[in-house]
Structures are given as structure tokens and as C-alpha cells.
Amino acid sequence: MIPNEAKKRLIQIVGAENYDDTKAGRLVYSYDATPQFQSLPDAVVAPRNTQEVAEIAKICNEYRIPIVPRGSGTNLCAGTCPVEGGIVLLFKHMNRILEIDEENLTATVQPGVITLDLMRAVEEKGLFYPPDPGSMKISTIGGNISENSGGLRGLKYGVTRDYVLGLEVVLANGDVIRTGGKLAKDVAGYDLTRLLVGAEGTLGIVTEATLKLIPMPETKQTMLALYQDLEAAARSVSKIIANQIIPATLEFLDQPTLEVVEDYARIGLPTDVKAVLLIEQDGPKEVVERDMKKMADICRSEQAVSVELARSEEEAEALRTARRAALSALARLKPTTILEDATVPRSEIAKMVKAINEIAAKYQLKICTFGHAGDGNLHPTCPTDARNREEMERVEKAFEEIFAKAIELGGTITGEHGVGAMKAPYLEWKLGPAGIAAMKAIKQALDPNNIMNPGKVFAKSTRKRVVVTR
């Protein structure tokens, strides 16, 4: 519960219209896109500027009230589920693109800006913001920064961290700091910008970001390669990269995913093959044509049964849209959809795909696999039903084995979804006790009262999904 005095002071800062502690208002923000995690906050607060965020942080630090910064809640790691109560901080008022600087190729934005809105705004000026998470139509830049979101273009262009040049951040004690800026080079002190990107709101609250833009690619081509052998498709991915070709997009979908996506999108995707690779290249016309020919030859040499270029941009966009719709399509199968993002070195993709299928068979589960094969980031997805406790136990065990296999192959438990509450119990598998201790030391230094998104990243116990009400 928030003490009455603290509540009065918070309302004085943001106004009564931006403070909501009704049961209905709290329920709306008690969960995010992660299945089976729910916990009511004590209040929902919507600041209008950085100064208000700073004043809120000071009060919360004084009264030891948890703060959970939230974008659109599209994350898949329970990163914005308020598992220890406190206040959910909304940025619906802080949603402006403050500047698009064409001389320095930067955009300065507030955290509530929708990702796709930013992309479209810069494209109108012939510029390009590459990070394209699957939720880009509704996700916010602040949320992308908190989770260090990736996307289909991550192979060639990198992830959100690669485009954050500077931040304005409110710390737990209410101090406001600025990191980085419109600079191509800056080695003055610790790189706090990169530390804060992907910190999931556990170290501070992002209130402004300066983002890098690049020129729009001249041209783009899209290709679909079909396979009757999963491992042949995975080998093609490794061989393309080994031939020093870095495509803009190199996506993998297995047959179960294809069937579901085609039933959902109805664009004529083949469902009689074991796997497809969706491949795109962009850049100068002659480079794109050369690379596409080389990649087509590689796919054919690895037993692709068909390799075809999209005949128009409309057809290419339909393929991209269908791939982005994979999670939505799979979510129609059963009441609960568990989607993970085990990631391995690209050279180990074939082994990882094979292991996922073997683990699914072992636990008698349907696991559909798709993902960003070019950067080793796979999304094994299990349609299930949370009401079936016996099946859910098998699902949990299966994903534990999938994470263990990814680490065994030199990979990680998450490539882009984040740790949050969901994967916290597994983080030590990846980092070891010394790595966890180093991270906790940073957390303690910046947030000694543990008010910044508590209950995330660092595990308290073995993994379990929680439903908490107050």
C-alpha cells in the first residue's frame, strides 16, 4: 500500500487525473504480454515531463515504493509485471519526437514514442531507423531501450543498443543524468549509455533518447527458399554467413509454424515443406542482385526444393507481414502460448533446431520454431493450456532443457526478449555466480533501496509463473 502522505504528494506532482489507484485501473496494468504473470500495482501514475519523473522517484525512494516503468507492455519476459506492487509509471504524455537532425543523422525522442511512428517519420526524410521488433506497431522506444529489442533486421543492422547514442535518465534518488549525445566518438568515462540499454528499468528511468539514423537503402529484394529437410535449411544459414554475405533479413520458419501462419494470413505460403527461409538484401542495386544470386545458389546447393524472388514489393511485404504475424497466429491454437528466444552461434543453428524437435518429442509437446536464423536467435513456441497443470509441468521442463542446450552450444537464454521475472532463475546458468555478483554490485550502487523494477533479473527462487492479487 502507498501511504496517504505519499499519495497526496504524488497527486500534487502529476494531478489527480494522472494518478489511478482504482481496482479497475490497477488491473489493466497488472500484467504484460507474458503468459501467467500477473500482480496488481498499488497505483498507476502518468508523468508529463522529466521533472515530474524525478520528483516521483524522490518520493518513492523516500517511502521505499517500487517503480515499474512501462511502455506498451509487449515484452515477453514479465519485465513490466509489478511483482512487488508499487507504482506503474506510464509515458502516455511523454510521446513526442522532439527532433530529427538531418545534419547529425539523429532523432531525439521521448520514451512513449511508438516505434513504427518514428520509423515512418524518419523515412519521410529519406532516413532509416533499423530496429524492428515484431511489436513495432504498438511498442514504444522506451520499452525497446529497456529490453534492448531486436527484430528481423538485427542480423545486418544490429539491435536497439546499436542505435542509442545518448540518454536522459532519472536515477532512483531523483537525480537526472545525461549520457552520450550526438557524437560519433565519445570515450569520456564509463559507457553508461550501453549499461542502461537493456537494464529493464532496474537501474533508472529513461525519459529521453538520442538515436542514430542511417541513410535509407537504395533498393531491396526478397526471396523465399523451401526445404524438405530442416537441417538443410539450417546449414544454408551457416553457409551464407560463411561466404561473407550479411543479408538484411534471414528468417526461419518450420512446417508447424508455416501451417498456422498460412491459415492466419492466407497469402499462399507453402505448407507441404519442412521449412522455409525468408531472405532479404538491401543496398545498392548491383550489390543486392549479386548477393541474392549467390544466396540462391547456396540454398540450391543445400537441397532447397525451390528458391524464388518476390515478384513485387506487395508480395515481399506480404511475406514480411506473415513472418511478423507468427506469434499472433500461434496464439490462436490454444489458450496459452509460451514463446521463448534461446539463441546460439549461427554455426550451431542446425544442432539447436534438431535438439528442440527432440525435446518436444520427449515431452510430447507441439513446439513450433521460427526466428531470426541469421543471428542464431530462435523462437521455440509451445501452444498449451495453463489450466492443464500436468502439461504445464512438461512445458517448463522442456524449456529448461532447451535453455540448457543453448548454453551448451555456446549460446544464451535470451537473445532479445530480456530476463525480467520469467528468466531470472536461469541467468546464473549463463553468467555464473561471479557474473551475478558483479551485476548486483552495480544495482546496489545505483538503487540501494531496490525500488527500480524490483523482482526482475535477479532470481529469488526456482522458476514459477505467478499470479498475485491485492
Side-chain angles (χ1 to χ4, degrees):
M1 292 290 294
I2 296 175
N4 283 333
E5 181 59 29
K7 175 179 174 177
K8 289 177 184 176
R9 290 169 63 185
L10 289 168
I11 290 173
Q12 284 176 350
I13 293 166
V14 300
E17 70 279 12
N18 290 312
Y19 183 97
D20 188 355
D21 60 0
T22 65
K23 184 71 177 285
R26 293 156 57 217
L27 183 63
V28 171
Y29 296 102
S30 64
Y31 59 91
D32 52 31
T34 316
Q36 291 183 268
F37 281 86
Q38 186 171 15
S39 178
L40 284 171
D42 296 304
V44 180
V45 181
R48 293 162 292 195
N49 53 57
T50 300
Q51 186 56 42
E52 289 187 357
V53 175
E55 293 301 318
I56 290 166
K58 289 175 184 176
I59 292 170
C60 289
N61 198 43
E62 179 184 342
Y63 287 91
R64 310 294 195 265
I65 300 168
I67 302 175
V68 182
R70 179 184 171 108
S72 296
T74 56
N75 76 88
L76 293 163
C77 67
T80 51
C81 179
V83 294
E84 297 190 16
I87 68 168
V88 167
L89 209 59
L90 298 185
F91 295 96
K92 62 182 182 180
H93 299 305
M94 298 175 67
N95 61 353
R96 292 186 299 128
I97 298 172
L98 300 174
E99 178 190 47
I100 297 173
D101 184 339
E102 296 179 69
E103 291 186 353
N104 288 301
L105 297 182
T106 63
T108 303
V109 303
Q110 293 181 314
V113 170
I114 299 297
T115 311
L116 187 58
D117 290 348
L118 173 64
M119 290 178 178
R120 287 173 172 165
V122 302
E123 285 172 11
E124 288 178 3
K125 298 180 180 294
L127 298 172
F128 187 36
Y129 179 72
D132 59 337
S135 57
M136 63 185 186
K137 290 182 179 179
I138 55 173
S139 69
T140 66
I141 293 297
N144 295 171
I145 290 170
S146 287
E147 299 293 350
N148 190 23
S149 301
L152 273 65
R153 296 191 286 241
L155 168 61
K156 182 173 184 176
Y157 290 105
V159 296
T160 299
R161 176 180 284 126
D162 300 304
Y163 294 86
V164 180
L165 295 174
L167 294 171
E168 179 184 77
V169 177
V170 175
L171 299 179
N173 64 359
D175 285 352
V176 180
I177 64 169
R178 282 189 171 272
T179 71
K182 298 179 181 182
L183 302 166
K185 295 179 179 178
D186 183 2
V187 294
Y190 295 144
D191 192 344
L192 296 178
T193 305
R194 290 182 72 86
L195 173 64
L196 291 159
V197 176
E200 302 184 24
T202 63
L203 301 179
I205 304 162
V206 174
T207 52
E208 186 179 296
T210 302
L211 306 174
K212 179 174 75 173
L213 307 176
I214 60 176
M216 179 75 76
E218 288 178 32
T219 187
K220 178 165 58 180
Q221 286 189 8
T222 305
M223 178 167 68
L224 203 63
L226 315 183
Y227 294 83
Q228 291 296 358
D229 181 349
L230 279 170
E231 292 185 42
R235 286 196 305 270
S236 297
V237 172
S238 297
K239 195 168 181 180
I240 287 169
I241 305 301
N243 275 267
Q244 300 179 11
I245 303 170
I246 306 297
T249 298
L250 183 46
E251 296 290 303
F252 170 90
L253 296 91
D254 68 4
Q255 188 174 27
T257 307
L258 280 169
E259 291 171 348
V260 176
V261 170
E262 173 55 22
D263 183 60
Y264 176 79
R266 299 192 182 280
I267 63 165
L269 284 173
T271 57
D272 58 346
V273 294
K274 298 297 183 185
V276 305
L277 293 180
L278 172 63
I279 306 170
E280 288 191 315
Q281 184 59 297
D282 60 13
K285 187 172 185 290
E286 62 276 13
V287 174
V288 170
E289 290 176 350
R290 181 195 69 203
D291 285 353
M292 293 300 275
K293 182 181 184 306
K294 284 183 180 178
M295 289 189 286
D297 290 343
I298 288 169
C299 293
R300 292 188 184 100
S301 74
E302 289 294 341
Q303 304 168 12
V305 296
S306 171
V307 182
E308 291 189 7
L309 285 172
R311 292 181 291 271
S312 66
E313 175 53 28
E314 290 74 22
E315 185 176 320
E317 182 57 30
L319 290 171
R320 289 191 289 270
T321 301
R323 161 60 188 88
R324 293 185 192 281
L327 176 56
S328 299
L330 288 164
R332 302 165 74 213
L333 295 182
K334 284 195 173 183
T336 309
T337 306
I338 309 295
L339 181 149
E340 296 289 7
D341 72 325
T343 303
V344 295
R346 292 180 288 235
S347 58
E348 303 292 350
I349 280 281
K351 291 179 185 176
M352 192 67 219
V353 170
K354 184 170 184 256
I356 290 169
N357 291 335
E358 289 171 350
I359 291 167
K362 175 180 175 180
Y363 289 100
Q364 298 178 294
L365 298 168
K366 180 183 181 75
I367 296 183
C368 304
T369 302
F370 63 96
H372 319 304
D375 52 25
N377 186 193
L378 294 175
H379 296 312
T381 305
C382 183
T384 184
D385 188 339
R387 295 167 295 187
N388 185 336
R389 293 186 179 181
E390 185 275 330
E391 182 173 89
M392 285 302 299
E393 287 181 7
R394 285 187 280 122
V395 171
E396 299 286 358
K397 289 176 182 177
F399 278 113
E400 283 187 7
E401 288 197 21
I402 287 170
F403 294 146
K405 186 64 178 180
I407 292 171
E408 177 190 323
L409 293 173
T412 184
I413 60 172
T414 176
E416 61 184 7
H417 290 174
V419 177
M422 188 183 199
K423 291 183 181 174
Y426 302 130
L427 188 60
E428 191 169 324
W429 292 8
K430 171 63 179 172
L431 299 180
I436 295 291
M439 287 178 56
K440 283 184 174 179
I442 295 170
K443 169 71 169 172
Q444 176 65 23
L446 292 176
D447 181 21
N449 293 322
N450 193 31
I451 66 165
M452 290 294 181
N453 207 6
K456 313 298 164 53
V457 181
F458 304 110
K460 289 187 175 180
S461 61
T462 56
R463 183 192 199 204
K464 64 177 180 179
R465 299 170 188 271
V466 296
V467 178
V468 180
T469 57
R470 291 183 181 80

